Amino acid sequence: MSLPLPTASAQLFYDGRCPLCAREMALLRKHARAGLTLVDIHSLDCINDAEREQLLRDLHLLQPDGRWQLGVEANVTAWSFTPVGFLWKPLRWKIWSGVVDRVYRRWADKRYCKNYACALDNPH
């Protein structure tokens, strides 16, 4: 992927054309401490259509060390930059992280298809 290189802050890539995503990012922007940069995928000129689609299908967070986090893991990490981040940590507990990930996957696929007109019988 020809995305921007890792920086000193974590970079959360989000769909700025999704109303729900935009509202959540507004909350994150308002409450996040230093160390998190929010990047609207639609503002990136350096990626091709396949890369843009990949980013739009899942929330992506690029750590300063170059590691990627996706989906719920990316969301939990992003919220850890706020005073209420501890409230999101239970979503990664082993006891229910599998269920949370499946629910997120279904929601993310439906959200993508609703906004970008695809067939749900062939996600990704």
Side-chain angles (χ1 to χ4, degrees), residues 12 14-31 38 40 75 79 88 107 111 114-115:
L12 184 66
Y14 71 96
D15 182 354
R17 294 182 186 165
C18 167
L20 179 63
C21 305
R23 281 193 301 274
E24 183 176 1
M25 294 309 118
L27 281 172
L28 267 171
R29 192 173 284 111
K30 180 178 178 181
H31 298 290
L38 304 178
D40 183 347
N75 203 348
W79 279 98
W88 294 84
W107 175 83
R111 183 206 70 83
K114 177 183 175 192
N115 292 329

Side-chain angles (χ1 to χ4, degrees), residues 31-90:
H31 298 290
R33 299 181 295 264
L36 179 66
T37 302
L38 304 178
V39 181
D40 183 347
I41 297 159
H42 300 287
S43 71
L44 297 173
D45 294 330
C46 62
I47 61 174
N48 62 43
D49 290 342
E51 292 168 335
R52 188 174 311 280
E53 179 180 346
Q54 183 180 355
L55 286 172
L56 289 169
R57 285 186 172 275
D58 281 301
L59 195 59
H60 284 67
L61 186 132
L62 179 58
Q63 291 282 12
D65 65 5
R67 288 180 301 119
W68 284 97
Q69 294 178 306
L70 304 176
V72 177
E73 185 178 3
N75 203 348
V76 169
T77 299
W79 279 98
S80 73
F81 288 91
T82 72
V84 296
F86 68 94
L87 296 172
W88 294 84
K89 288 192 184 285

